[in-house]
Amino acid sequence: MRDNPNASARAMNLADNRRPDQVVGRFAPSPTGRMHAGNIFAALMCWLIVKAQGGRIVLRIEDLDVERSKAPFIDQIQRDFEMLGLTWDEGPYFQSGRDEAYRAAYDALVNRGLVYPCFCTRADLHASSAPHRGEKLVYAGTCRGLSPEGVSARMAERKPSYRLRVPDAVYALTDLVQGPYGQNLERECGDYVIRRSDGLFAYQLAVVVDDEEQGVNCVVRGMDLLCSTPQQMYLQDLLGYGHPQYAHVPLVVGEKDRRLSKRDRDAALDELLAAYKTPEGVIGHVAGITGIAPSADPVSCEELLKAFDINSLATMFPDKVQILWQ
Ligand code: GLU
């Protein structure tokens, strides 16, 4: 964990002074690598959307999957945010320390008979990390109707993961960037894993509990997580939470339909700093190519905020799905 006395002092003060009417957003990085242009763009949009509404930002390190999370990245990501001027007001909070909170929510769902064991292999595959685009499969409900005897017999063979029963119902929202979006949970998603077979709680459950308990009411993130939002709204309803406001911003892609990856060295933050010299140079380039700013000249986050019009979010991006990195 990064020793940042200022951040924790700030965190305590602000957590004590929460105002129910204030907009609260979050940076929720998974510490599995160094920042790149795509993360920077999403974080910048989050910062602008929240700050334009006079809000504050919580930093949450999504290190649920301890094997994939690397301590040096946790430290580095915080320094990168600070350097770029992407300030946060509360946190960092760590998912790895919140097992009890997730367990309480999970137990409440179990007690309502909404959870069942699933013995299908590969069920765990992506359950602890956010399911980025192209990774979502509709679960066929194979283990939904297993008898108690069937469950006992299978238990002897392998540890199950645990799925949440979903209804044949549409969960819909009006996204600040994407507009209206809805999904029939049964037909377009299926029952989904909320606890992995190794006991870890899954991303969908953790993120909903965290957003609620950290007071987050404005979620800004990449477009690839739009299809997770109806699942998260269903959980919010079950647990008696409100729904945040959502803004899903386009993905920055290396080429059409391909997320930025390690191949795109020129999009990695250290390369960006080498190419554009200063944090303002990097922010300016990202703002320029994504259409946040009219030019790619160096600029600070604060300067961008002065010109940022939150009412134009729905028309800000000609392509709302992807923006080509250049
Ligand atoms: N930790 C996730 C990521 O870095 C983001 C999850 C979210 O915003 O809900 O992709």
Side-chain angles (χ1 to χ4, degrees):
M1 187 192 300
R2 178 139 191 247
D3 184 19
N4 185 340
N6 289 341
S8 49
R10 276 202 310 261
M12 269 181 275
N13 292 339
L14 283 160
D16 289 345
N17 289 330
R18 277 187 186 163
R19 293 203 334 252
D21 56 334
Q22 190 173 35
V23 170
V24 181
R26 56 10 175 232
F27 296 145
S30 301
T32 52
R34 189 87 199 268
M35 282 183 98
H36 58 63
N39 317 126
I40 298 170
F41 169 62
L44 177 59
M45 284 302 294
C46 174
W47 192 89
L48 291 169
I49 290 172
V50 171
K51 295 294 164 187
Q53 300 177 88
R56 60 193 177 79
I57 293 181
V58 170
L59 172 63
R60 176 168 78 231
I61 306 291
E62 301 214 323
D63 58 348
L64 201 59
D65 191 333
V66 279
E67 279 182 16
R68 291 184 62 219
S69 304
K70 303 274 182 287
F73 291 129
I74 294 177
D75 190 58
Q76 186 70 57
I77 285 170
Q78 292 179 71
R79 267 188 275 145
D80 290 344
F81 277 127
E82 275 172 5
M83 174 193 60
L84 291 168
L86 294 165
T87 50
W88 66 93
D89 307 287
E90 186 178 328
Y93 297 118
F94 292 83
Q95 286 192 324
S96 57
R98 292 196 22 86
D99 221 55
E100 243 175 76
Y102 307 145
R103 184 178 306 276
Y106 175 81
D107 286 347
L109 299 169
V110 170
N111 290 339
R112 289 169 65 181
L114 291 166
V115 181
Y116 65 86
C118 171
F119 299 89
C120 299
T121 51
R122 299 175 69 83
D124 289 341
L125 210 54
H126 297 295
S128 75
S129 49
H132 294 288
R133 201 151 58 114
E135 293 171 355
K136 188 160 174 165
L137 301 170
V138 179
Y139 179 62
T142 318
C143 294
R144 196 184 230 227
L146 280 182
S147 64
E149 299 74 38
V151 169
S152 310
R154 304 292 299 274
M155 284 280 191
E157 291 160 23
R158 72 186 301 262
K159 279 196 174 146
S161 57
Y162 289 86
R163 288 186 187 267
L164 179 68
R165 288 173 197 275
V166 300
D168 178 9
V170 173
Y171 273 71
L173 67 146
T174 301
D175 189 88
L176 292 179
V177 176
Q178 305 294 333
Y181 176 80
Q183 202 179 71
N184 178 297
L185 287 184
E186 190 174 84
R187 274 176 262 152
E188 294 171 77
C189 166
D191 300 338
Y192 54 94
V193 173
I194 56 170
R195 192 169 189 191
R196 305 191 333 179
S197 60
D198 59 6
L200 275 188
F201 294 102
Y203 159 76
Q204 303 290 5
L205 181 74
V207 85
V208 164
V209 173
D210 285 344
D211 282 342
E212 170 69 14
E213 294 189 5
Q214 292 158 8
V216 172
N217 55 19
C218 177
V219 172
V220 182
R221 58 189 176 191
M223 165 66 194
D224 49 343
L225 290 172
L226 180 61
C227 65
S228 285
T229 305
Q231 286 164 262
Q232 293 175 14
M233 292 172 70
Y234 172 52
L235 269 170
Q236 287 154 3
D237 279 0
L238 290 177
L239 296 168
Y241 306 160
H243 300 305
Q245 170 188 62
Y246 286 98
H248 287 86
V249 301
L251 287 186
V252 179
V253 293
E255 55 197 58
K256 195 170 176 299
D257 297 330
R258 181 176 67 73
R259 291 170 61 79
L260 282 180
S261 69
K262 293 218 169 65
R263 266 192 276 175
D264 304 287
R265 279 302 310 154
D266 58 340
L269 184 52
D270 44 4
E271 300 289 320
L272 289 172
L273 281 167
Y276 301 103
K277 311 295 179 217
T278 60
E280 289 77 16
V282 174
I283 291 288
H285 185 75
V286 170
I289 69 144
T290 55
I292 300 177
S295 84
D297 293 343
V299 68
S300 69
C301 298
E302 294 287 346
E303 283 164 322
L304 280 178
L305 180 61
K306 284 186 203 140
F308 185 75
D309 177 11
I310 193 167
N311 296 313
S312 69
L313 271 180
T315 52
M316 193 174 283
F317 306 108
D319 184 340
K320 294 182 183 196
V321 178
Q322 49 189 335
I323 296 172
L324 200 60
W325 175 243
Q326 47 195 290

